[in-house]
């Protein structure tokens, strides 16, 4: 019979199904008789499942896979001069070139908004724009997928851990795709994903403790909280605060369109 | 004498092999590069090299481990060249006390763990993984995302199986510590 100490040593390998048959049977026998080690095994198993589930990437479409495989085979049959350059290097050079050009354009035309007067606005604008870039260029799976406001709201309320008034867009051209939890300015936040004429729109909501957006321009016609709109490199970000919750909406749409969508937000 | 490869059968066989392992290659590449377009480039380059050397692949040996070896080498040579020098740390000499799983005193029982993970969001898991030292991150990804055995990981990474086991143990332990930290920030209070 194994001791607890021996069992603990074997456990990670046992859970990876890499123990020899005899040791594996010894561990199984110990786990059946030792509550403490069995709990430890369950805990380890649970953590692995949790991490795997959260790191899981939705499989790309079959056409995408076949196109890449075909490209690999064709490149081998008819190598052009560019095939001898590593593809990532070519793309990275291109990206570096674009980034440099963008930086030059910014220096020349100064298109960053002057937000230095309001650090909270500045933080929200930057974080929202960065998050939007990440969400739209990387695979960021939604944790709840539904076009139904109440389904998504219910899911988010259960998993948020504390209650906030969930925003719901009622603009008919804007379709809800789903939502997930994320960290926004290091705060646990709700991220709702919408689509408007094929363009993604993101709406974040989080507790704005110690955060205060100025009560100034662009009040909504129905007397709701004032909406602030700023742009980062042409991408508008709308923000407002209501009952201590900060809401931030961002999308590669026209500034007026974003304002129009923000004006249709209801709360559950 | 085995028949020489016919272009058509080579293509058909390669396509079947590549399709079978595409999802795992792609998801591992995405977690390694942290970027969708770079992941796509990495997989494309891997497939290109794999097809070029497919004639040399011995049928009956582990094709998955072979593909991941190409992926890993391409990643190291292309993406990590600049930081490789900085990461020449012998991680297996660090923290010798913790090399023994029985000395891991920080584990939580399942109920406490579930309670703790309730405060963790998906971004936290990504950040915790990204924060791992490269040598740990790779073996954790190969074991927990690509489902590769210790033996295959040892071949891919080019180190003994014992080293794979200790890196995996330490990597997972660091991951759990980071998640605990995120959970604490998210409002978790240790019971």
């Amino acid at each position: 019979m194994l001791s607890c100490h021996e069992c603990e040593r074997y456990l990670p390998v046992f859970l990876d199904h890499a123990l020899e048959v005899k040791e594996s049977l010894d561990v199984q026998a110990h786990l059946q008789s030792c509550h403490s080690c069995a709990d430890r095994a369950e805990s380890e198993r649970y953590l692995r499942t949790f991490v795997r589930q959260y790191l899981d990437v939705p499989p790309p479409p079959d056409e995408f896979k076949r196109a890449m495989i075909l490209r690999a085979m064709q490149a081998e049959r008819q190598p052009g001069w560019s095939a001898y350059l590593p593809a990532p290097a070519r793309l990275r050079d291109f990206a570096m070139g674009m980034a440099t050009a963008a930086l030059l354009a910014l220096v020349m035309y100064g298109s960053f908004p002057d937000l230095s007067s309001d650090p909270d606005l500045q933080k929200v604008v930057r974080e929202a724009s960065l998050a939007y870039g990440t969400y739209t260029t990387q695979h960021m799976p939604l944790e709840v997928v539904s076009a139904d406001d109440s389904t998504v709201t219910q899911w988010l309320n259960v998993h948020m851990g504390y209650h906030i008034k969930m925003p719901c867009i009622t603009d008919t051209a804007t379709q809800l795709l789903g939502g997930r939890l994320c960290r926004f300015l290091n705060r646990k936040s709700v991220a709702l994903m919408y689509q408007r004429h094929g363009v993604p729109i993101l709406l974040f909501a989080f507790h704005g403790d110690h955060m205060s957006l100025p009560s100034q321009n662009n009040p909504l016609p129905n007397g709701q909280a004032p909406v602030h709109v700023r742009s980062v490199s042409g991408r508008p970000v709308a923000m407002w605060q209501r009952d201590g919750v900060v809401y931030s909406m961002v999308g590669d749409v026209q500034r007026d369109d974003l304002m129009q969508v923000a004006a249709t937000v209801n709360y559950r | 004498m085995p028949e020489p490869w016919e272009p058509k059968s080579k293509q058909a066989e390669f396509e079947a092999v590549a399709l079978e392992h595409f999802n795992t290659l792609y998801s591992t590449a995405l977690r390694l590069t942290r970027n969708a377009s770079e992941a796509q480039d990495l997989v494309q380059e891997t497939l290109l090299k794999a097809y070029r050397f497919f004639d040399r692949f011995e049928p009956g040996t582990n094709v998955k481990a072979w593909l991941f070896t190409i992926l890993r080498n391409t990643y190291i040579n292309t993406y990590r060249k600049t930081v490789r020098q900085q990461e020449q740390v012998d991680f297996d000499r660090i923290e010798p006390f913790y090399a023994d799983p029985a000395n891991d005193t920080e584990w939580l029982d399942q109920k406490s763990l579930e309670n703790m993970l309730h405060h963790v969001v998906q971004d936290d898991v990504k950040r915790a993984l990204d924060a791992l030292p490269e040598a740990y991150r790779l073996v954790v990804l190969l074991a927990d995302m690509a489902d590769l055995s210790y033996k295959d990981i040892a071949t891919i990474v080019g180190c003994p199986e014992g080293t794979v086991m200790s890196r995996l143990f330490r990597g997972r332990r660091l991951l759990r510590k980071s998640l605990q930290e995120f959970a604490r920030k998210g409002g978790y209070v240790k019971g």
Side-chain angles (χ1 to χ4, degrees), chain B:
Chain B
M1 280 285 288
E3 288 291 313
W5 284 104
E6 289 294 324
K8 197 176 174 187
S9 68
K10 175 186 172 182
Q11 278 191 26
E13 188 153 343
F14 180 78
E15 192 178 355
V17 163
L19 266 177
E20 186 186 345
H21 299 291
F22 194 99
N23 290 350
T24 332
L25 283 171
Y26 182 72
S27 53
T28 309
L30 191 60
R31 294 298 171 222
L32 276 175
T33 60
R34 308 172 176 99
N35 177 301
S37 70
E38 287 198 350
Q40 199 176 323
D41 290 339
L42 176 56
V43 173
Q44 185 71 78
E45 192 69 8
T46 302
L47 292 175
L48 206 143
K49 286 177 184 166
Y51 186 69
R52 190 176 298 158
F53 299 111
F54 200 49
D55 294 344
R56 297 188 205 169
F57 173 72
E58 285 178 43
T61 57
N62 190 337
V63 72
K64 187 176 179 184
W66 181 70
L67 285 171
F68 271 89
T69 306
I70 300 174
L71 181 97
R72 182 256 180 190
N73 291 342
T74 309
Y75 171 70
I76 298 281
N77 292 331
T78 315
Y79 293 89
R80 306 299 293 169
K81 215 172 241 175
T82 48
V83 292
R84 205 165 23 154
Q85 292 303 318
Q86 299 165 17
E87 299 208 349
Q88 293 290 330
V89 180
D90 186 355
F91 291 106
D92 308 306
R93 288 181 185 278
I94 301 172
E95 301 181 68
F97 175 79
Y98 289 108
D100 185 351
N103 289 327
D104 180 12
T105 53
E106 297 164 10
W107 72 280
L108 297 168
D109 62 78
Q110 199 196 338
K111 275 196 176 158
S112 307
L113 184 77
E114 272 190 62
N115 184 27
M116 185 269 277
L117 292 175
H118 186 69
H119 296 267
V120 168
V121 296
Q122 190 165 20
D123 289 352
D124 296 338
V125 183
K126 281 185 66 198
R127 283 188 206 183
L129 183 77
D130 286 350
L132 288 182
E134 193 67 26
Y136 294 175
R137 200 163 70 98
L138 186 62
V139 292
V140 169
L141 281 175
L142 293 175
D144 289 348
M145 280 198 76
D147 280 324
L148 286 154
S149 66
Y150 294 159
K151 188 180 167 196
D152 288 343
I153 298 173
T155 309
I156 293 165
V157 177
C159 68
E161 277 185 55
T163 308
V164 170
M165 288 159 75
S166 66
R167 286 185 187 179
L168 200 49
F169 171 70
R170 289 172 189 153
R172 285 169 175 160
R173 194 173 58 87
L174 283 175
L175 202 58
R176 190 181 64 206
K177 278 178 80 173
S178 295
L179 291 178
Q180 266 174 296
E181 186 55 29
F182 279 119
R184 197 184 55 74
K185 284 181 187 166
Y188 166 70
V189 182
K190 197 174 176 181

Side-chain angles (χ1 to χ4, degrees), chain A residues 16 39 43 77 91 180 183, chain B residues 41 108-109 122 124 150:
Chain A
D16 284 328
D39 197 25
S43 170
R77 269 192 310 203
L91 277 179
R180 69 196 294 268
R183 208 160 282 285
Chain B
D41 290 339
L108 297 168
D109 62 78
Q122 190 165 20
D124 296 338
Y150 294 159

Side-chain angles (χ1 to χ4, degrees), chain A residues 127-142 177 180 192-196 198-204 235 250-253, chain B residues 26 30 35-37 40 126:
Chain A
E127 185 88 351
S129 183
L130 271 175
Y132 185 81
T134 309
Y135 273 63
T136 50
T137 55
Q138 296 188 19
H139 287 279
M140 301 293 275
L142 296 169
L177 302 178
R180 69 196 294 268
L192 293 162
M193 174 79 87
Y194 296 87
Q195 204 167 38
R196 192 173 198 266
V199 179
I201 289 181
L202 277 175
L203 175 52
F204 299 96
R235 174 182 295 153
V250 56
D252 280 334
V253 294
Chain B
Y26 182 72
L30 191 60
N35 177 301
S37 70
Q40 199 176 323
K126 281 185 66 198

